[in-house]
Amino acid sequence: MKATTIRQVLIEPLNIERTEPFIIAIGTKHRIENVVLTLVLENGVEGYGEAAPLEPINGENQATVLATLNSCRDFLLGQDVTQFMAIARQLKQVFWAQATARCAIEMALLDALAKSLDIPLYQFWGGAEHELETDCTISLVPAETARRQAEQLAQAGYRVLKVKIGKNVKQDIERVLAVNEGAPSCQITLDANQGYTPDQAVYCIRELERLGIRPALLEQPVTRHDWMGMRFVREHVSPPVAADETVFTGDDAIQVVRTGCADVINIKIMKSGIIEALDIAAIARRAHLGLMIGCMLESVLAMSASVHLAAGLGGFRFIDLDPHPPTASEPFTGGPRFVEPVYTLQDDAGLGVFRKA
Ligand code: MN
């Protein structure tokens, strides 16, 4: 039996109450309801993976992820993590629609492998960078709240604020103006989360520019399959347009390139899994599209995986990995050191994340 063979598979729900609800155009989340996968190898190494499903985005939730992972348990037992690519491809053929569950498996395989090799995961992926500066997100809150949050975030050191829009153009513009007033030195990026029609998106951006605000990015202005609508927006506004919900797979990334509907692709490991995220990054890079990395509602575990990925590959222009405030119910600690707004990669092997004692 090889030292890197999986001898135990542990699957557990991960529930974390949030101090502040997270509101975007498609719904509100009050708690994190994720799943943790632990792979124990013959050499005693534990590899950790996390799935952070968000139903309206990827059609998965905690119950479906638990079911998917449980049905993978027997397949994973006895596998050798040095063959992570073969394992991931086989699972993709069967569970092609469960990218979030597969993400947890790929994360745990890679964490276990890198730990067995005794190198940090970002170095396994290339070690291109060792620091990442993230933005911080202001959700669909009233303008006055947004102004206060912007002030606090600028004071905390953030230089890029991502403002959620896409529900009501008038209120959206008020919110963005308030953020700009609260944090005049911060760059503003916008995320409509598919909430606008093409016309509304163009109107919103033009109106903001008329009022003296030039956003650094407009993310997912229109519904995910409206490639031509997104191209229309891109052709009629000056900020770069990012495709987020439009891109879950490498095929989607190719479609972005073919249709010319976006300047930037937002990669999230919970949309594509980790292995496919590597494909998407390669397609974007070769097509001279900008790279962005984003997140769902992850604990420090999965967040660390995204930090390692972006730092390891390098060249990500937009970093949207703002962590939620840590709470006592968070079971993991460690990972890249985070001092607002910068992540610094550490020397610990794998993800460098540890289970709290
Ligand atoms: Mn987004």
Side-chain angles (χ1 to χ4, degrees):
M1 191 77 77
K2 276 186 69 178
T4 45
T5 302
I6 299 168
R7 71 152 191 243
Q8 210 183 343
V9 176
L10 301 164
I11 299 154
E12 56 196 313
L14 171 65
N15 296 317
I16 303 174
E17 292 301 326
R18 287 179 60 88
T19 46
E20 280 180 15
F22 187 77
I23 314 158
I24 60 171
I26 40 184
T28 304
K29 284 277 280 192
H30 295 276
R31 60 201 285 238
I32 290 177
E33 294 169 309
N34 294 352
V35 177
V36 171
L37 169 72
T38 306
L39 301 177
V40 186
L41 308 189
E42 286 295 335
N43 61 12
V45 160
E46 291 189 359
Y48 302 123
E50 177 180 359
L54 202 53
E55 278 161 335
I57 302 290
N58 47 31
E60 294 175 88
N61 60 28
Q62 191 179 51
T64 69
V65 170
L66 285 168
T68 305
L69 293 182
N70 274 307
S71 54
C72 294
R73 184 196 299 266
D74 288 346
F75 170 76
L76 289 169
L77 282 168
Q79 298 272 5
D80 178 356
V81 296
T82 60
Q83 291 163 29
F84 70 89
M85 194 65 88
I87 299 169
R89 289 209 175 120
Q90 257 180 288
L91 286 172
K92 192 189 161 190
Q93 281 177 1
V94 180
F95 297 100
W96 52 271
Q98 277 78 33
T100 305
R102 285 189 286 109
C103 181
I105 297 173
E106 294 170 4
M107 197 183 302
L109 289 170
L110 285 159
D111 184 37
L113 174 59
K115 279 174 178 160
S116 299
L117 297 169
D118 197 25
I119 63 167
L121 204 44
Y122 83 102
Q123 289 180 358
F124 178 85
W125 276 321
E129 292 161 17
H130 68 277
E131 273 187 2
L132 292 180
E133 178 175 341
T134 182
D135 64 19
C136 196
T137 301
I138 293 174
S139 55
L140 291 172
V141 292
E144 207 26 64
T145 313
R147 186 198 324 270
R148 238 185 5 257
Q149 289 182 357
E151 265 169 29
Q152 288 164 0
L153 291 169
Q155 212 139 51
Y158 287 97
R159 298 192 297 171
V160 183
L161 300 181
K162 166 163 155 169
V163 185
K164 293 287 189 183
I165 56 171
K167 200 129 199 189
N168 174 309
V169 179
K170 186 165 168 287
Q171 289 169 14
D172 290 342
I173 290 170
E174 284 167 7
R175 184 179 314 107
V176 178
L177 287 175
V179 167
N180 186 54
E181 279 167 26
S185 63
C186 285
Q187 240 182 33
I188 291 177
T189 64
L190 302 175
D191 188 356
N193 285 110
Q194 316 182 63
Y196 286 150
T197 62
D199 282 348
Q200 284 174 327
V202 172
Y203 172 78
C204 176
I205 297 298
R206 290 201 172 162
E207 197 58 12
L208 284 171
E209 285 180 338
R210 196 179 62 78
L211 295 163
I213 294 174
R214 187 156 178 222
L217 188 71
L218 171 62
E219 206 182 316
Q220 199 65 43
V222 299
T223 185
R224 69 167 58 149
H225 292 127
D226 188 6
W227 312 88
M228 290 305 122
M230 199 183 307
R231 190 167 100 175
F232 175 86
V233 175
R234 183 185 175 221
E235 284 169 348
H236 289 85
V237 302
S238 57
V241 171
D244 179 2
E245 288 92 328
T246 290
V247 178
F248 280 66
T249 64
D251 292 338
D252 295 337
I254 288 172
Q255 190 71 356
V256 167
V257 174
R258 282 184 179 147
T259 56
C261 71
D263 305 277
V264 173
I265 293 181
N266 187 352
I267 292 177
K268 292 177 181 164
I269 59 174
M270 293 301 156
K271 289 189 298 184
S272 57
I274 293 175
I275 303 301
E276 186 128 18
L278 299 172
D279 280 356
I280 296 170
I283 291 163
R285 195 180 291 108
R286 293 327 306 152
H288 306 290
L289 294 180
L291 284 171
M292 175 171 186
I293 188 139
C295 55
M296 305 287 192
L297 297 175
E298 285 106 329
S299 84
V300 68
L301 173 57
M303 193 67 89
S304 296
S306 295
V307 173
H308 276 270
L309 183 70
L313 299 181
F316 279 71
R317 186 149 38 111
F318 298 95
I319 310 291
D320 180 26
L321 299 175
D322 46 335
H324 66 92
T327 61
S329 53
E330 178 113 27
F332 291 97
T333 183
R337 188 164 54 95
F338 183 63
V339 180
E340 291 176 319
V342 177
Y343 287 96
T344 307
L345 281 294
Q346 306 292 299
D347 295 331
D348 304 297
L351 292 165
V353 169
F354 305 93
R355 213 180 261 278
K356 283 183 187 166

